[in-house]
Amino acid sequence: MYAEIFAKYTDLLRPYLPDPFHPVPACSIDFQPLNHVIGQHSQEAGGNAMGISGSDPDRIIIEIQCSWTLASDDQLLHDISRDLTEWLGNKVPEWLAEDPRAASYLPLLMNDASGDQNVTGSYRDYAKFRALQASHVKGNIDRL
């Protein structure tokens, strides 16, 4: 899986990286383990907003990173990252269907998401948090 992910990212970046009109690009993909023990310790300490629990499996967090110097490259490199993310969204279920032990995938994590991703929407208790936020906002408006 790692090799396939790396190859896909390389293919997406191939037209961009060797172009001399795109100075100093630095792109990488990182695979970060998120051991199930983290969920256990979090649950023992009262839980967390993301809903990671002691019954969660080990996970691999995939971090897509790229930095560049030209503002004119913003959309292109953002699109490359989005293309990889969409590809992963289709590919990971295929890998899991082939071998359910292969991996679990948590596509969004607070500190690793792009600005256009709904990070909190991936939280298990998202509806509960939305309702709490709405009641808090309404309570503040009522006090005005």
Side-chain angles (χ1 to χ4, degrees):
M1 288 185 301
Y2 297 137
E4 246 183 284
I5 294 167
F6 180 78
K8 180 64 176 180
Y9 196 39
T10 301
D11 286 345
L12 290 169
L13 288 167
R14 186 169 282 119
Y16 172 80
L17 292 178
D19 187 332
F21 295 106
H22 300 287
V24 198
C27 299
S28 67
I29 188 160
D30 299 313
F31 304 97
Q32 302 172 352
L34 182 65
N35 191 288
H36 72 280
V37 172
I38 294 170
Q40 289 174 346
H41 290 305
S42 178
Q43 191 171 5
E44 290 165 6
N48 59 77
M50 292 184 294
I52 296 172
S53 74
S55 61
D56 284 1
D58 292 336
R59 298 180 185 271
I60 299 295
I61 306 299
I62 301 170
E63 185 173 336
I64 305 162
Q65 303 175 86
C66 210
S67 61
W68 56 94
T69 56
L70 301 176
S72 58
D73 291 338
D74 289 357
Q75 189 63 51
L76 173 67
L77 287 162
H78 184 74
D79 289 347
I80 288 171
S81 293
R82 184 178 297 133
D83 289 348
L84 182 61
T85 301
E86 289 175 10
W87 177 81
L88 282 165
N90 293 320
K91 195 66 180 169
V92 169
E94 290 176 22
W95 288 327
L96 292 174
E98 292 169 9
D99 184 352
R101 300 168 301 150
S104 291
Y105 180 59
L106 181 63
L108 302 174
L109 192 65
M110 181 74 90
N111 294 331
D112 296 71
S114 178
D116 65 340
Q117 292 176 310
N118 179 9
V119 177
T120 55
S122 68
Y123 291 3
R124 286 189 184 141
D125 291 328
Y126 178 70
K128 180 175 122 182
F129 292 131
R130 281 295 275 178
L132 179 63
Q133 179 187 34
S135 69
H136 183 32
V137 169
K138 183 182 179 337
N140 286 336
I141 291 172
D142 291 343
R143 281 185 272 195
L144 294 175

